[in-house]
């Protein structure tokens, strides 16, 4: 049985005041959700605050990206070692906004996955197709290539300690959630692809759905057999909405 994960991705949002309110609230939510991993991935500048505010609670947290280097002359980057030092558990890698706005290739994303994992963070590998790729029936091909780049660099066993987030780009921030059937079908095909390398890894890895997942859509999405929780953008900035999504995961844990 895979333990569900409900993970917020705050993107470029937050103030000291909102971070304080949200982390206080979600620390409590996490304490009341023993059978769900509840986590927040925050802008790097807030991670130190999150560490202090979440101390002693079950809330996990992480970064939204990570550099491939651990230190040195790389102005503006965030080292996985530094993120780990602030008590983070997770590092998102390969979010479509990073791939799109920062030209991160599958190979760069794989290197970030490796850097995160080598330094004690659990990588959350985001994959997913654009609307044009979806229309052209290329969803599985795109997702498999994004996964294969990681397998080529790190080996299949790397997914024993990683999370995958399937996020169709056309669903992110658009309000167009993939239907539970469409999402389940892709998640199953992702798992089937991993099975061609290792049945054990395929059965164990948690595959989250992301893309306009909200209080309304989460219950049916999370009831699908291959959907193990969600990566939540907009709704993770609202206490009631994120709590409702956690409740949906609890009901399916
Ligand atoms: P959204 O974002 O929930 O606001 O669509 C999800 C994500 O980009 O991780």
């Amino acid at each position: 049985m895979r333990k569900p994960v409900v993970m917020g991705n705050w993107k470029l949002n937050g103030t000291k005041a909102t971070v304080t309110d949200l982390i206080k609230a979600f620390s409590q939510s996490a304490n009341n959700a023993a059978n769900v991993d509840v986590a927040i991935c925050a802008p790097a500048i807030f991670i130190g605050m999150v560490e202090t505010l979440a101390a002693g609670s079950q809330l996990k947290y992480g970064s939204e990206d990570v550099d491939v280097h651990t230190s040195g002359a790389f102005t503006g980057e965030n080292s996985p070692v530094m993120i780990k030092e602030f008590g983070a558990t997770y590092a998102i890698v390969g979010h479509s906004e990073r791939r799109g706005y920062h030209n991160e290739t599958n190979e760069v994303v794989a290197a970030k996955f490796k850097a995160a994992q080598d330094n004690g963070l659990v990588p959350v590998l985001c994959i997913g197709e654009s609307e044009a790729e979806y229309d052209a029936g290329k969803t599985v091909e795109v997702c498999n290539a994004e996964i294969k780049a990681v397998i080529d660099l790190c080996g299949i066993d790397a997914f024993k300690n990683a999370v995958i987030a399937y996020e169709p780009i056309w669903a992110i921030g658009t309000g167009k959630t993939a239907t539970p059937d469409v999402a389940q079908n892709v998640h199953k095909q992702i798992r089937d692809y991993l099975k061609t390398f290792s049945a054990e890894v395929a059965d164990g890895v948690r595959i989250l759905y992301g893309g306009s997942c909200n209080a309304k859509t989460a219950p049916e999405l999370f009831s699908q057999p291959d959907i193990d929780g969600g990566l939540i953008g907009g709704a993770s900035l609202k206490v009631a909405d994120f709590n409702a999504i956690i409740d949906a995961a609890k009901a399916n844990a």
Side-chain angles (χ1 to χ4, degrees), residues 7-11 92 95-97 126 165 167-169 171-177 209-214 230-237 245:
M7 182 178 292
N9 168 19
W10 280 353
K11 310 191 179 191
I92 295 174
H95 191 280
S96 60
E97 287 149 20
C126 295
E167 299 202 305
I169 298 168
I172 296 176
T174 58
K176 279 197 242 171
T177 319
Y209 170 79
S212 300
C213 182
N214 55 41
L231 183 58
I232 317 297
S236 69
L237 295 160
I245 296 169

Side-chain angles (χ1 to χ4, degrees), residues 58-69:
Q58 294 302 308
L59 182 69
K60 297 180 177 165
Y61 51 92
S63 61
E64 301 173 4
D65 180 40
V66 67
D67 193 36
V68 297
H69 306 97

